[in-house]
Amino acid sequence: MDLPRLTDHQHEEHPLKADPSAQLRLLDLQALDSQADQLRHQRATLPELAEIAALTTTRAEHDDRRRDAQVVVDDLKVEQVKLDADVEQVKARRTRDQQRMDQGLITNPKDLERMQGELQSLQRRITSLEDDELEVMARLEDAEKDLASHAEQVAAADERLAELTASRDERTAALDRELERVAGERAPLAAELPADLLALYERLREQKGVGAAELRARQCGGCRLTLDNAELQVIRSSPEDTVVRCEECQRILVRTAESGL
């Protein structure tokens, strides 16, 4: 049900009337609403939320580096396999040529001299390739260590994120239960209030966070300012069922025995 909304102009021309007991219950309603606001603030500012956000960013950075390191490792493994194949190919050719010489299949002196030169060239090629293999193996070892380091950091981040998420969910659930309790207490209390008083309160609370405040020791509980004598005199002369407003912050002022009037 939509509640009627009063403008400040209407408030000045036609002061709202409400039984003093209803005005006092308005303070109970405000107390519940303030408690709910605090609970929602706690839920929105849980320390786990900030740590989860920061750790999620850090985890993404480590995961990016892990993927980059994996690419390096994969490329080096491909390079190592190619070098192994090249070495084996050159060694097979050297063995084949050596066997031909050992079996006396090459008898021409010039061919034999050329074959010996080729065997020396093949040996140099094998040595060069094996040196390349050793270099790639060293680079691969470093790359695998780098990959393992980033993988460990990602795993550690995932573990911590799981802990934080569980803690966040547990605390959020507890706060939600408290909010449900407050809402359960608020509903019947709000239902007892006059519709026009509740509408004014809701509008002020939406604008200012606090819609109703106690006038205590001549001070507004909303803006915390002490009322001057002229304003106090106006309030003193107002009937008990008149809903008075703070001239400074425009919140509803609820008069009690502690108001100092």
Side-chain angles (χ1 to χ4, degrees):
M1 179 181 69
D2 292 336
L3 297 174
R5 297 172 66 87
L6 298 177
T7 66
D8 289 334
H9 179 67
Q10 288 172 321
H11 162 70
E12 292 170 359
E13 289 188 348
H14 307 284
L16 189 63
K17 298 289 186 177
D19 188 272
S21 62
Q23 296 186 46
L24 287 173
R25 288 198 299 275
L26 203 59
L27 291 179
D28 296 332
L29 185 67
Q30 179 62 73
L32 289 173
D33 286 337
S34 294
Q35 186 178 357
D37 288 342
Q38 291 172 1
L39 290 168
R40 282 188 286 268
H41 177 73
Q42 290 177 35
R43 186 176 59 182
T45 58
L46 287 173
E48 289 88 346
L49 296 176
E51 189 171 351
I52 286 172
L55 189 56
T56 299
T57 299
T58 301
R59 192 253 185 217
E61 292 172 353
H62 287 313
D63 199 38
D64 287 342
R65 296 190 186 105
R66 181 194 61 78
R67 284 194 295 269
D68 292 342
Q70 184 68 64
V71 170
V72 173
V73 167
D74 292 343
D75 289 347
L76 287 172
K77 284 182 177 180
V78 169
E79 187 175 352
Q80 184 181 32
V81 169
K82 183 178 183 302
L83 285 170
D84 288 343
D86 289 346
V87 168
E88 291 305 315
Q89 183 180 12
V90 177
K91 282 184 176 180
R93 182 176 175 183
R94 182 191 62 181
T95 299
R96 184 177 64 253
D97 290 349
Q98 185 66 54
Q99 287 175 346
R100 290 179 64 193
M101 290 179 62
D102 293 344
Q103 292 170 2
L105 298 177
I106 300 175
T107 57
N108 187 297
K110 289 185 178 180
D111 290 342
L112 187 60
E113 181 180 359
R114 179 182 56 78
M115 183 66 70
Q116 289 174 339
E118 184 174 344
L119 285 173
Q120 292 175 356
S121 177
L122 290 173
Q123 183 57 50
R124 288 193 297 271
R125 177 60 176 159
I126 291 171
T127 300
S128 175
L129 288 171
E130 288 177 340
D131 289 343
D132 291 343
E133 274 189 306
L134 291 174
E135 180 187 352
V136 169
M137 289 172 61
R139 289 165 56 198
L140 178 58
E141 183 178 359
D142 291 341
E144 286 176 335
K145 288 180 180 178
D146 190 41
L147 173 60
S149 175
H150 290 305
E152 288 173 3
Q153 289 172 315
V154 170
D158 285 340
E159 183 178 355
R160 180 58 180 159
L161 281 171
E163 294 173 356
L164 289 168
T165 300
S167 176
R168 177 204 62 191
D169 292 346
E170 181 180 353
R171 296 181 66 177
T172 298
L175 290 169
D176 285 342
R177 288 192 295 270
E178 280 296 295
L179 279 167
E180 289 177 5
R181 178 190 63 78
V182 171
E185 294 180 16
R186 185 189 196 278
L189 182 57
E192 294 175 356
L193 296 174
D196 51 0
L197 179 64
L198 183 60
L200 175 61
Y201 166 78
E202 295 287 16
R203 178 168 64 84
L204 292 171
R205 199 174 79 83
E206 181 181 349
Q207 293 173 354
K208 303 174 181 297
V210 172
E214 180 185 2
L215 175 58
R216 185 181 182 85
R218 304 184 178 189
Q219 185 182 78
C220 172
C223 60
R224 301 298 179 183
L225 293 179
T226 300
L227 279 63
D228 61 32
N229 289 330
E231 189 174 355
L232 288 170
Q233 184 57 41
V234 171
I235 294 174
R236 287 192 195 99
S237 62
S238 298
E240 288 185 355
D241 65 347
T242 296
V243 177
V244 298
R245 306 270 292 275
C246 174
E247 290 293 334
E248 183 65 31
C249 67
Q250 290 300 303
R251 291 179 175 92
I252 297 171
L253 275 179
V254 178
R255 289 169 281 182
T256 71
E258 304 297 327
S259 294
L261 299 174

